[in-house]
Amino acid sequence: MGTSTSSTEKNLSICEHLIGSLNVPIISNCSQCYGTGFIYENYSRKMGGYTSCSCIAGLCGQKVCLPPYEFYQPEIRAMKPCSCRSIRSTVRKIQYLEKKAYIPRRYKGFFLDHIRLDHAPASSGLFTALDYAEEIVSKFGSQEWNPKGLYLYGGTGRGKTLISCAILNELLRFHKISVRFAKINRDILRKLRSSFNPNSEIYGEGLKIEEELAEVKVLVVDDFGVQQETQWVVSVLYDLIDTRYENNLLTILTSNEPMSFWKETAGGRIYSRLQEMCREIHIDAPDYRLSFRDATKTEEQC
Ligand SMILES: [Zn+2]
Ligand SMILES: [Zn+2]
């Protein structure tokens, strides 16, 4: 149990540090939601979601507060929005953004402070990646620091997807921006291919799919690589990366291959773009996919 206590303390400090640098409105001194008014709750292993924290009931002063969260004020003879209304609409916005993010269930509600570094060797790249992830989250949207890309590579199960989803979750809950997770083959190439098929239910929607991926504020492209390099695949990937770069939008790529792998692909076009826009970090940590749900459990108990 000793380990779990120390990792809880560590978790809190990372979280507080982030909140301090983010100008998130703090509405209470609640330790469960860090005063933000909302939490991520895991109802079961398969279900979870953002919800308003119990501490916001204290804002209302009402026994029961129901939509549209207004109450009659006799002094002004009119309805007045309850003090809880703005936080409730924030929660709805976060819920909506999460729905559109397509983050895999196992990584939903997984945050940077759930990643435990206790047993990670210094050479694992995990410390570097986490520092950079925190920098992205704390400085996101600031004028002077505007990273366009992060390229995480390493073997399967090393924590690349975990870290990139934690970044998405942090950006979503604290900056309330549109984020999106997409696996290169399943969610991008295969979908675009079937948009050419008249029998497919997404027939003709290729452009819409490409636009969505090109416009979302932060995109994770998971398993970045190509099974079969064709001119079409190369041009889809290049156009996506290039459009996002031109639009000043952050793209996070995870891959089993180092960035130099792309030197030989497509005459190096993709490689030179990646080099311009991405910080490259090699992750070689122990298998982090297996242990993270324990950390979530610790937060549930708080
Ligand atoms: Zn609270
Ligand atoms: Zn209320």
Side-chain angles (χ1 to χ4, degrees):
M1 281 314 280
T3 323
S4 98
T5 313
S6 77
S7 75
T8 309
E9 281 160 14
K10 197 170 197 170
N11 292 348
L12 284 170
S13 72
I14 292 176
C15 207
E16 277 170 353
H17 154 74
L18 276 177
I19 288 175
S21 60
L22 280 168
N23 291 328
V24 175
I26 300 298
I27 57 160
S28 69
N29 59 1
C30 172
S31 62
Q32 200 180 330
C33 65
Y34 310 107
T36 58
F38 61 87
I39 51 168
Y40 189 93
E41 203 171 345
N42 282 300
Y43 310 118
S44 71
R45 225 178 148 75
K46 286 193 176 149
M47 271 181 53
Y50 289 94
T51 174
S52 45
C53 180
S54 55
C55 69
I56 73 164
L59 287 177
C60 300
Q62 308 291 308
K63 263 202 177 131
V64 186
C65 197
L66 296 170
Y69 308 109
E70 291 176 336
F71 59 93
Y72 183 73
Q73 264 217 313
E75 305 92 69
I76 53 167
R77 291 192 191 166
M79 298 299 282
K80 210 184 149 205
C82 183
S83 332
C84 73
R85 196 158 85 166
S86 104
I87 189 67
R88 290 193 198 272
S89 70
T90 301
V91 174
R92 270 202 305 277
K93 184 172 182 187
I94 297 175
Q95 287 168 338
Y96 171 77
L97 291 169
E98 200 204 23
K99 214 177 195 176
K100 309 246 300 180
Y102 295 98
I103 294 166
R105 169 59 199 135
R106 65 193 314 186
Y107 303 121
K108 280 186 177 193
F110 181 78
F111 301 103
L112 292 174
D113 50 317
H114 288 143
I115 298 172
R116 290 170 298 171
L117 300 175
D118 315 5
H119 304 293
S123 59
S124 63
L126 211 54
F127 291 89
T128 315
L130 271 185
D131 278 350
Y132 195 61
E134 272 198 39
E135 201 172 359
I136 289 175
V137 176
S138 62
K139 294 184 180 167
F140 190 86
S142 72
Q143 298 245 303
E144 62 277 11
W145 198 76
N146 185 15
K148 291 184 183 176
L150 170 60
Y151 189 99
L152 296 172
Y153 81 95
T156 307
R158 289 293 183 255
K160 307 175 304 269
T161 309
L162 199 69
I163 293 172
S164 44
C165 286
I167 297 174
L168 290 190
N169 286 326
E170 295 285 7
L171 291 171
L172 194 150
R173 72 169 170 173
F174 287 140
H175 293 276
K176 298 155 196 86
I177 50 159
S178 61
V179 302
R180 175 76 198 264
F181 176 92
K183 269 199 173 306
I184 189 91
N185 282 316
R186 185 193 66 195
D187 302 323
I188 303 180
L189 298 175
R190 203 190 300 163
K191 259 195 168 173
L192 286 174
R193 266 191 211 106
S194 59
S195 74
F196 295 124
N197 177 358
N199 298 321
S200 156
E201 56 183 32
I202 54 166
Y203 176 60
E205 290 189 11
L207 194 62
K208 197 178 130 203
I209 295 167
E210 281 180 312
E211 274 174 5
E212 274 171 15
L213 294 169
E215 285 167 11
V216 68
K217 287 271 190 294
V218 181
L219 174 70
V220 166
V221 182
D222 196 41
D223 268 342
F224 192 63
V226 280
Q227 284 170 340
Q228 227 184 353
E229 185 193 328
T230 65
Q231 218 173 355
W232 177 77
V233 168
V234 167
S235 88
V236 166
L237 296 187
Y238 182 79
D239 287 350
L240 175 62
I241 303 269
D242 187 58
T243 313
R244 295 191 54 82
Y245 176 81
E246 293 295 338
N247 290 343
N248 266 320
L249 296 169
L250 174 64
T251 311
I252 300 170
L253 303 121
T254 78
S255 183
N256 289 339
E257 308 287 351
M259 214 195 279
S260 57
F261 164 84
W262 296 92
K263 264 186 194 169
E264 311 300 324
T265 306
R269 270 170 88 209
I270 294 176
Y271 175 68
S272 67
R273 239 327 163 236
L274 290 176
Q275 255 206 325
E276 268 173 281
M277 63 190 261
C278 290
R279 162 106 187 250
E280 182 180 21
I281 300 174
H282 181 206
I283 306 279
D284 192 16
D287 196 327
Y288 266 82
R289 285 188 303 184
L290 302 172
S291 58
F292 76 85
R293 274 293 160 202
D294 293 341
T296 314
K297 227 186 272 161
T298 311
E299 178 160 272
E300 271 179 347
Q301 288 159 357
C302 284

